[in-house]
Amino acid sequence: MRIPTLETKSLLLRPLSVDDAQNAYDRWTSDPDVSRYMMYCTHQSIEETNEWLKYVDINSDVAYDFAVCVKDEDNYLCGSCGVYYIEEDQVFEVGYNIAKDHWRKGYGTEIMQALVKFLINDLHQTAIKGRYEIHNEVSGHVMKKCGFEYVYDEDDYKFDGVTKHECHVLRYNVKGQKKQFELYNGVSFDPVAYGTYKAEPGSVTKALKAGYRYFDTASFYKNEEMVGSELKASGIPREELFIASKIWPDEFGYKETFEAFERSISKLQTDHLDLYLIHWPIAEGDKQWRSRVVDTWNAMSELYKAGKIRAIGVSNFLPHHMKVILDNCEIKPMVDQLELHIGYMQQYAVDFCRANDIHVQAWSPLGRGRLKEDPVITKMANKYLVSPEKLMLRFLNQNDISILPKSNDLARMSDNLDIFGFTIDDYDMSFLLSLPQLGYSGEHPDI
Ligand SMILES: NC(=O)c1ccc[n+]([C@@H]2O[C@H](COP(=O)([O-])OP(=O)(O)OC[C@H]3O[C@@H](n4cnc5c(N)ncnc54)[C@H](OP(=O)(O)O)[C@@H]3O)[C@@H](O)[C@H]2O)c1
C-alpha cells in the first residue's frame, strides 16, 4: 500500500524520505533527553542516519514511516513516527519521536491518534502494540491517554544493538462488537455472564457497575439472597437483567421442583427466572437418577410453559445423561453448562449439544486459576498482547460458547467483559482446541 499523508489538528504526517536525513540527523542527535530513550538518536553521523532511512524500508507493507511536520511552521520537520510490523509478535507496533523544542504541545497525542486510526481503518488491524522506556513517563501517559493498556515488560536495545533499556509494553484495545447468543426458542442473552459462586458480598453491585447484566447463581451456592438483594438495590429494571439459577439433586422430584423454584425466586426477589438449570444429573449413588431427572424436567417444563421461566436447561449433563431427557420428555434442553476451558473442552459433549441445537455454556472458563501460569497460554497471550485470562475467555467466545467468569475485583470484572477487541486466528484456535488436558477440576458427574 502507498503510504498516505495523514493530517491532524496541528500536524501533517507525510511519507518520510531519504532527503529528510540531514534535518533528522541534526534534530535527533542534538537532543540528549530524547536520545536517552530513542534508538535512532545514537547515530554518530549523517551517514548513519542515511543508512537507517534506507534500512527502515520507508514505504513497504511492513514499515510505514512518516515525517512529522508542523502545519503552522511551513511544514517544519520536527520528528518522525511510524508503524512497523513485528514478525515475532505478528502485530504492528507504533512509535514516534519529536525534537525537544516541540515537546509539550500535545503533538505526541495527535500523532498516536492518527497512527491508530491509520492502522485500524487502512491496515485493518485489531491489535496494536506500543512500547515506552519505563522512565519515559510522558510517552506512557500519551499512550494511555490514547487508549493503550499495560500488558507486560520487555527489554529493548538501542540502535547500537548493545545498550539495553527496559520497556513497558502496551496494547491498544480495538473495541470489537459483542454478539448476543440466541437459544433455539428465540431467547437472547449476553455472551459474558457474571458467575457468582464464592462471590463476596458487594460483588454483584460491582459487577453491575462493570456492565454485567447476566448473573449465574444456584441454590447450591447459598447466595441467592445476596444476589437478589444487590440486584434489587441497584434499581436496574428487571427486564434489563438476565437471572439464571439451578436446582440441586437434593431438590429433585416433580412436586419438589415447584417448591425449589419458589424458594429460588423468593430469595432472588423476582417473579420469574430467565434461565433455570438442573445443576448436576446424579446425586451420589442414586440408582433412580433417571426417573428423578425426568420428573424434575417435566416440572421445569410446566413452569416454562406457564411463563415463569424463559428458558430451561441442564448443567454437567454428558450425552448419556442428556438422552434421558431427549428420549422421555417433550421439551428439549436449551442450554448445557459444562466445565469448559483451554485444556478441557469436552468435545464429545459439545458436539452432541450442537447436533441437538443446545447452547453450550462454560463454567470455570478460567480454570479457576489453574491455567494462570501455563507457558503455552502465556506465550500465545503475549502474541495477541492480552492477558492469559482474556485469551482464555476469547477462545471460548470464538467457539460460540457463553462464559461465566467469576471475580471479586472490579478491574478484573471489567477486563473479563472486554474481550472483543482481538481475534484469535484459525491456526491458533485449532492449536488451543487440541492441547492435551490441562487444569481439569476433577469433578465428573458419574465418578
Ligand atoms: N454448573 C456448575 O456445576 C458450575 C461449577 C462451577 C462454577 N460454575 C459457575 O461458573 C462460574 C465461574 O467459575 P469459577 O468461579 O469456578 O472459576 P473461574 O471463573 O474460571 O475462575 C475464577 C478465579 O479466577 C480469578 N479471576 C477472575 N478473573 C480474573 C482475571 N481477569 N485475571 C486474573 N484472575 C482472575 C478469580 O479471582 P478473583 O475473584 O480474586 O478475581 C477466581 O479465583 C461460577 O462462579 C459459577 O457461576 C458452575
Side-chain angles (χ1 to χ4, degrees):
M1 168 186 175
R2 220 176 140 262
I3 190 164
T5 293
L6 312 175
E7 190 169 346
T8 72
K9 189 163 93 356
S10 330
L11 307 168
L12 271 187
L13 311 183
R14 61 157 175 78
L16 191 66
S17 79
V18 179
D19 296 338
D20 291 319
Q22 186 66 53
N23 277 336
Y25 173 71
D26 290 346
R27 284 158 205 172
W28 294 340
T29 53
S30 63
D31 192 339
D33 280 335
V34 172
S35 66
R36 271 197 289 140
Y37 309 125
M38 299 300 300
M39 51 186 183
Y40 317 134
C41 304
T42 54
H43 298 184
Q44 299 300 311
S45 66
I46 177 67
E47 285 70 34
E48 240 183 274
T49 297
N50 258 320
E51 275 308 302
W52 172 71
L53 284 174
K54 284 184 212 148
Y55 154 83
V56 296
D57 197 3
I58 290 170
N59 191 1
S60 75
D61 55 3
V62 293
Y64 299 82
D65 279 279
F66 298 85
V68 177
C69 307
V70 188
K71 285 199 277 189
D72 286 350
E73 296 176 33
D74 293 330
N75 293 341
Y76 173 90
L77 185 139
C78 74
S80 78
C81 66
V83 302
Y84 318 94
Y85 189 68
I86 312 295
E87 185 70 45
E88 198 186 328
D89 300 335
Q90 294 178 34
V91 72
F92 274 92
E93 178 168 352
V94 283
Y96 68 92
N97 164 31
I98 307 171
K100 194 175 182 184
D101 52 346
H102 282 74
W103 286 9
R104 297 184 207 292
K105 295 179 178 174
Y107 292 170
T109 307
E110 286 189 38
I111 292 168
M112 287 301 264
Q113 285 170 340
L115 293 179
V116 164
K117 205 165 142 200
F118 170 65
L119 275 165
I120 295 171
N121 294 345
D122 297 345
L123 301 185
H124 310 295
Q125 297 302 302
T126 53
I128 304 168
K129 179 174 179 177
R131 248 185 316 172
Y132 67 95
E133 207 273 350
I134 56 166
H135 301 296
N136 188 355
E137 285 169 12
V138 176
S139 271
H141 178 70
V142 166
M143 288 186 195
K144 284 174 192 154
K145 193 170 154 192
C146 292
F148 282 76
E149 290 170 3
Y150 171 78
V151 192
Y152 60 90
D153 290 342
E154 76 178 15
D155 287 336
D156 195 11
Y157 292 90
K158 289 198 179 193
F159 199 54
D160 61 9
V162 181
T163 319
K164 204 152 93 168
H165 55 158
E166 205 183 324
C167 293
H168 287 328
V169 175
L170 300 99
R171 178 182 74 102
Y172 181 82
N173 180 27
V174 182
K175 298 280 178 214
Q177 285 296 314
K178 77 170 181 182
K179 197 180 92 200
Q180 293 259 308
F181 285 120
E182 190 176 310
L183 302 176
Y184 76 74
N185 69 344
V187 167
S188 60
F189 55 97
D190 283 346
V192 189
Y194 180 67
T196 65
Y197 185 47
K198 297 199 187 256
E200 289 170 356
S203 291
V204 169
T205 307
K206 280 194 243 172
L208 286 165
K209 192 169 166 203
Y212 291 85
R213 290 296 179 266
Y214 176 171
F215 293 83
D216 178 85
T217 181
S219 59
F220 179 78
Y221 301 166
K222 308 263 179 279
N223 65 7
E224 287 169 307
E225 279 111 334
M226 176 191 92
V227 174
S229 63
E230 292 190 29
L231 290 180
K232 192 81 178 176
S234 74
I236 293 174
R238 175 66 183 88
E239 60 275 16
E240 288 179 25
L241 301 170
F242 191 98
I243 306 178
S245 193
K246 312 185 193 82
I247 181 166
W248 189 247
D250 64 8
E251 299 172 301
F252 279 2
Y254 187 80
K255 180 172 72 62
E256 291 81 352
T257 297
F258 289 97
E259 292 162 7
F261 173 77
E262 283 302 326
R263 273 196 302 277
S264 283
I265 59 166
S266 147
K267 289 177 183 167
L268 286 162
Q269 302 188 43
T270 179
D271 60 353
H272 71 281
L273 286 180
D274 296 284
L275 179 65
Y276 198 36
L277 305 176
I278 298 186
H279 201 149
W280 198 259
I282 309 174
E284 211 179 327
D286 182 6
K287 299 266 186 293
Q288 304 302 316
W289 70 270
R290 288 179 181 78
S291 64
R292 284 158 52 72
V293 161
V294 168
D295 289 346
T296 302
W297 188 256
N298 285 338
M300 284 168 62
S301 301
E302 292 303 320
L303 289 162
Y304 171 67
K305 286 188 204 161
K308 301 288 280 178
I309 312 173
R310 293 176 63 224
I312 49 177
V314 296
S315 178
N316 300 297
F317 272 50
L318 300 176
H320 52 284
H321 307 120
M322 194 77 86
K323 276 186 186 145
V324 171
I325 296 180
L326 297 183
D327 292 347
N328 297 291
C329 304
E330 180 197 342
I331 299 178
K332 210 167 56 165
M334 289 144 204
V335 171
D336 192 4
Q337 187 181 111
L338 296 162
E339 176 180 354
L340 296 171
H341 47 73
I342 293 177
Y344 195 66
M345 284 304 288
Q346 307 211 55
Q347 207 55 49
Y348 176 56
V350 170
D351 290 346
F352 182 87
C353 286
R354 298 255 156 90
N356 286 285
D357 210 7
I358 297 167
H359 175 78
V360 180
Q361 193 161 65
W363 63 258
S364 286
L366 301 170
R368 210 176 280 175
R370 292 182 294 273
L371 301 168
K372 218 169 18 203
E373 309 288 332
D374 183 78
V376 174
I377 297 176
T378 306
K379 187 164 174 232
M380 194 175 291
N382 284 350
K383 170 179 162 183
Y384 287 96
L385 299 174
V386 293
S387 64
E389 287 76 19
K390 283 193 183 187
L391 184 88
M392 291 182 229
L393 298 178
R394 184 64 168 142
F395 165 75
L396 290 164
N397 175 266
Q398 282 185 222
N399 271 307
D400 287 328
I401 293 171
S402 56
I403 49 181
L404 324 159
K406 172 263 165 189
S407 176
N408 287 320
D409 177 79
L410 180 59
R412 288 197 285 275
M413 288 175 190
S414 302
D415 272 356
N416 295 344
L417 278 178
D418 181 19
I419 56 163
F420 303 99
F422 69 107
T423 304
I424 306 170
D425 68 32
D426 291 347
Y427 183 95
D428 292 337
M429 285 296 289
S430 165
F431 170 76
L432 290 173
L433 202 53
S434 53
L435 284 180
Q437 186 168 300
L438 278 175
Y440 170 46
S441 67
E443 293 170 33
H444 192 289
D446 295 314
I447 301 171

